[in-house]
Amino acid sequence: MFIVILTYTAPLEEIDRHLEAHNAWLEENYAAGHFLASGRQDPRTGGLVLARAADREELGRILAQDPFGIAEVATHTVIDWRPSRASAEAQWLLRP
């Protein structure tokens, strides 16, 4: 499992020009089973994605398709995360 931190590198007006395409990309990856959760940071300086992929290489190919990255208005930082404990309602995080 991976945590992807998106950091905006452009003004919000520029981010918003690519938001529809970025949201379509998110939906494609939810449908493919790659993304589990996502959302904006508060304040709005970027976002986070909880993702799963076979490995970093596969995730890299997925992230390379993000319209934010293609337009160079955001960067991606990837954290490889292996949850070892979870609350009762989040036990699904411990499944492979």
Side-chain angles (χ1 to χ4, degrees), residues 3-86:
I3 297 170
V4 180
I5 302 169
L6 283 82
T7 303
Y8 298 154
T9 58
L12 290 178
E13 297 79 23
E14 183 70 14
I15 296 298
D16 288 342
R17 281 195 277 279
H18 301 281
L19 192 55
E20 186 175 333
H22 173 76
N23 284 332
W25 170 79
L26 287 169
E27 287 304 318
E28 288 174 20
N29 283 285
Y30 275 109
H34 298 298
F35 293 168
L36 303 172
S38 61
R40 294 179 178 172
Q41 294 182 39
D42 186 15
R44 193 174 168 208
T45 58
L48 274 80
V49 177
L50 184 58
R52 61 177 158 206
D55 51 37
R56 259 185 192 256
E57 188 174 299
E58 179 186 30
L59 182 60
R61 288 190 296 273
I62 293 165
L63 296 178
Q65 301 300 312
D66 181 2
F68 281 174
I70 293 169
E72 299 181 348
V73 298
T75 60
H76 302 98
T77 301
V78 176
I79 300 170
D80 191 334
W81 182 52
R82 301 288 178 241
S84 57
R85 293 183 185 182

